C-alpha cells in the first residue's frame, strides 16, 4: 500500500474522524426529527432513536476498516432484526439492546465500544425505569449469544497464515 493511501486510510479511520461523523449524523437525524415530527413521536425519535446512530456509525466504520475480515454472516441478519424491531413488534427482544450488546462484544475499536456502552446504559435506563419494558433482557441475551456464535465461528475457521515456510 502506498504511503498516500495509508495516510488517507489512517485519516478516515482515525477515532476523532469516526466519532465526529457519528455525532454529526446522529445530530442531523435528531434535528430533522425535531423539525418534522411533534409530540411523543418526536420525543421518541430524538431521545431514543438518534443516540443509537452514534454507535451504529462507529460499528460501520469498524467493519469497513476490518474488511474483508468481518463476520457478515452474523452482522447482516442481526442488524436487519434490530431494525425490524423498530417497525414490527418482535416479542421478547429489544432491537437496541440486541444491536448494542452485539456491537459491544464484537467490535475492536474504542469508539465503537465506548459509544455502545454509553447508549446501552441510556437504553437500559429508559427500558427499566421509564417504560418498565423487559425486552431489554431478551435483547441483551440474544446479542451475547450472537457474539458468542461469531467468536466461535472465528476460532473454528482461523485465517490462513500468510507466512511462507
Amino acid at each position: 500500500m502506498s504511503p498516500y493511501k495509508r495516510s488517507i486510510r489512517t485519516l478516515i479511520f482515525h477515532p476523532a474522524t469516526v466519532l465526529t461523523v457519528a455525532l454529526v449524523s446522529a445530530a442531523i437525524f435528531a434535528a430533522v426529527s425535531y423539525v418534522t415530527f411533534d409530540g411523543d413521536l418526536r420525543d421518541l425519535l430524538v431521545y431514543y432513536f438518534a443516540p443509537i446512530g452514534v454507535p451504529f456509525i462507529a460499528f460501520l466504520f469498524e467493519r469497513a476498516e476490518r474488511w474483508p475480515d468481518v463476520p457478515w454472516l452474523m452482522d447482516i441478519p442481526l442488524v436487519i432484526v434490530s431494525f425490524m424491531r423498530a417497525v414490527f413488534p418482535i416479542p421478547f427482544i429489544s432491537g437496541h439492546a440486541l444491536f448494542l450488546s452485539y456491537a459491544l462484544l464484537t467490535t475492536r475499536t474504542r469508539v465503537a465500544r465506548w459509544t455502545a456502552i454509553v447508549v446501552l446504559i441510556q437504553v437500559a435506563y429508559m427500558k427499566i425505569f421509564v417504560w418498565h419494558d423487559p425486552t431489554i433482557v431478551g435483547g441483551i441475551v440474544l446479542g451475547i449469544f450472537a457474539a458468542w456464535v461469531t467468536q466461535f465461528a472465528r476460532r473454528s475457521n482461523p485465517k490462513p497464515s500468510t507466512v511462507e515456510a
Side-chain angles (χ1 to χ4, degrees):
M1 183 181 297
S2 74
Y4 175 74
K5 285 184 180 179
R6 191 174 15 255
S7 65
I8 292 293
R9 182 175 175 79
T10 302
L11 176 65
I12 289 171
F13 295 112
H14 190 277
T17 304
V18 173
L19 187 58
T20 300
V21 170
L23 289 170
V24 168
S25 299
I28 289 170
F29 177 84
V32 169
S33 297
Y34 190 83
V35 170
T36 307
F37 301 99
D38 59 358
D40 290 341
L41 178 58
R42 178 183 63 198
D43 294 344
L44 184 68
L45 291 171
V46 171
Y47 299 118
Y48 189 66
F49 282 96
I52 199 169
V54 177
F56 182 70
I57 297 294
F59 176 84
L60 293 178
F61 267 89
E62 196 266 351
R63 291 311 203 235
E65 183 180 20
R66 287 178 39 205
W67 179 267
D69 181 33
V70 209
W72 291 111
L73 287 177
M74 184 61 77
D75 284 0
I76 292 171
L78 188 125
V79 169
I80 289 170
V81 169
S82 295
F83 273 102
M84 283 177 51
R85 178 60 175 84
V87 180
F88 302 108
I90 300 172
F92 311 117
I93 64 161
S94 159
H96 279 65
L98 171 62
F99 171 75
L100 292 167
S101 58
Y102 177 76
L104 177 63
L105 296 171
T106 62
T107 56
R108 298 176 184 167
T109 63
R110 284 190 210 137
V111 174
R113 285 186 173 174
W114 279 103
T115 58
I117 288 170
V118 168
V119 176
L120 186 56
I121 290 168
Q122 182 239 356
V123 167
Y125 173 79
M126 299 292 287
K127 293 268 187 191
I128 295 167
F129 298 109
V130 177
W131 298 323
H132 309 288
D133 182 357
T135 62
I136 186 147
V137 175
I140 290 174
V141 167
L142 190 57
I144 290 170
F145 178 73
W148 178 79
V149 169
T150 300
Q151 295 299 332
F152 181 78
R154 187 176 290 147
R155 280 187 228 121
S156 297
N157 296 322
K159 213 173 179 184
S161 176
T162 56
V163 179
E164 293 182 19

